[in-house]
Amino acid sequence: MRIGYTIARFDWPGGAAAIRPNLLKVARTAEEGGLYSLWVMDHFWQIAVNGPAEDPMLEGYTALGFLAAATERVTLGTLVTGVTYRNPAILGKTVTTLDALSGGRAYLGIGAAWNQDEHEGYGVPFPSVKERFERLEEAIRITDAMWSGSDAGFEGEHYQPRRLLNVPAAISSPRPRLLIGGGGEQKTLRLVARYADACNLFDVGDEGLTHKLDVLRGHCEAEGRDFDEIEKTVLVRLAADGTAKPVAERAERLRELGFEHVILGAPAAANEHYLGVMSEVAGLTRDI
């Protein structure tokens, strides 16, 4: 079982000056604890489930570049980038750069975007759900083209880049891993089946997760895709007073359901308690 850790809050005591040492602590603990992955959100404001918008939030790819320099082994990605935030060719270049500088450890985590307040606050267009999914599929095709080695253009309804030159190339072969986040059954999981190397779901319980995997399996059959090729990841929240054993037991159950990669989320990512639980879970689940 692969164990990851996502960093969703940066409101550490000491203000902005405390962010760097705390982020370093998380990175070094993840490396030493044998974690497989580290993730950050791709938001510019804090999201309501974690705190007020005014709480500290780092730009995702700058934070991942910092984590790449602070680590040697863990894989790195956003959980996940909203397709509307960046021109997809620029996004492809950004993730290629992360992959090159990390030695081939990058995921491209991407989704259809949802935070309307953030879009409006920064003046980023927030189109309809239908258009966001159209843009998501075009963005995936554009980044795929960039990683294929071809510098031809792309003619889509929403994006028309003329030359997808991308040098240096990514180190990951055949490309950085593409993870699509979300459990939408009609569109998101269909795109997972068609394009993705990995999916990410929230832990909504055994019945809900089994249903989502069944839907994904059906889409794979329709697309002629091998269901087992797709890495199934699931986000599990750590409880404030939780210990490692029940989390490890949950990871074992998730493995039985068909998941290979559990990503842990904590209310305070650099807190010694959560870092300890994270490392202990990684140790307890290493052989399952």
Side-chain angles (χ1 to χ4, degrees), residues 45-117:
W45 300 354
Q46 183 54 272
I47 61 174
V49 69
N50 292 329
E54 294 79 11
D55 275 2
M57 177 54 58
L58 298 184
E59 191 282 316
Y61 288 97
T62 308
L64 289 176
F66 177 85
L67 291 171
T71 57
E72 293 291 336
R73 185 189 49 77
V74 294
T75 57
L76 303 163
T78 60
L79 206 63
V80 293
T81 288
V83 68
T84 48
Y85 291 142
R86 294 170 178 82
N87 173 286
I90 301 299
L91 177 61
K93 181 68 174 180
T94 301
V95 176
T96 301
T97 301
L98 175 65
D99 195 66
L101 294 180
S102 67
R105 293 185 281 139
Y107 277 83
L108 168 57
I110 195 166
W114 59 271
N115 193 334
Q116 185 170 354
D117 288 346

Side-chain angles (χ1 to χ4, degrees), residues 23-284:
L23 205 52
L24 279 172
K25 180 168 69 171
V26 174
R28 290 167 180 166
T29 304
E31 284 270 293
E32 294 166 4
L35 264 72
Y36 177 76
S37 63
L38 277 175
W39 307 82
V40 296
M41 295 196 303
D42 192 19
H43 285 286
F44 307 108
W45 300 354
Q46 183 54 272
I47 61 174
V49 69
N50 292 329
E54 294 79 11
D55 275 2
M57 177 54 58
L58 298 184
E59 191 282 316
Y61 288 97
T62 308
L64 289 176
F66 177 85
L67 291 171
T71 57
E72 293 291 336
R73 185 189 49 77
V74 294
T75 57
L76 303 163
T78 60
L79 206 63
V80 293
T81 288
V83 68
T84 48
Y85 291 142
R86 294 170 178 82
N87 173 286
I90 301 299
L91 177 61
K93 181 68 174 180
T94 301
V95 176
T96 301
T97 301
L98 175 65
D99 195 66
L101 294 180
S102 67
R105 293 185 281 139
Y107 277 83
L108 168 57
I110 195 166
W114 59 271
N115 193 334
Q116 185 170 354
D117 288 346
E118 189 175 57
H119 284 75
E120 292 175 349
Y122 274 7
V124 178
F126 188 70
S128 67
V129 171
K130 178 178 181 294
E131 182 175 328
R132 297 202 306 275
F133 275 97
E134 291 170 353
R135 289 179 177 271
L136 176 58
E137 185 161 12
E138 288 188 19
I140 291 167
R141 292 175 61 193
I142 287 168
T143 53
D144 264 350
M146 293 177 73
W147 291 328
S148 73
S150 170
D151 68 354
F154 176 88
E155 189 66 32
E157 182 177 349
H158 303 288
Y159 304 108
Q160 299 86 32
R162 295 183 179 180
R163 188 184 184 197
L164 294 173
L165 181 65
N166 190 35
V167 180
I171 292 176
S172 293
S173 180
R175 63 178 186 182
R177 284 148 287 192
L178 172 66
L179 178 148
I180 297 177
E185 297 178 12
Q186 298 302 314
K187 295 182 178 180
T188 302
L189 293 179
R190 176 180 58 81
L191 291 176
V192 170
R194 183 172 295 175
Y195 297 108
D197 304 299
C199 64
N200 181 253
L201 300 171
F202 291 105
D203 186 358
V204 293
D206 289 11
E207 184 177 348
L209 289 173
T210 298
H211 173 70
K212 295 294 184 184
L213 292 183
D214 285 344
V215 171
L216 177 59
R217 187 177 285 104
H219 285 305
C220 286
E221 291 173 359
E223 295 288 339
R225 178 83 185 277
D226 184 352
F227 174 79
D228 293 331
E229 288 181 355
I230 299 169
E231 179 186 13
K232 291 83 173 176
T233 82
V234 59
L235 181 62
V236 174
R237 302 286 187 186
L238 295 177
D241 57 352
T243 60
K245 185 178 178 181
V247 181
E249 290 172 349
R250 181 61 183 153
E252 167 65 19
R253 177 57 181 155
L254 290 165
R255 185 195 64 78
E256 292 171 355
L257 294 177
F259 291 88
E260 302 104 318
H261 188 169
V262 170
I263 301 170
L264 304 177
N271 177 277
E272 295 290 348
H273 169 71
Y274 294 114
L275 291 176
V277 170
M278 170 190 79
S279 297
E280 191 175 350
V281 170
L284 290 171

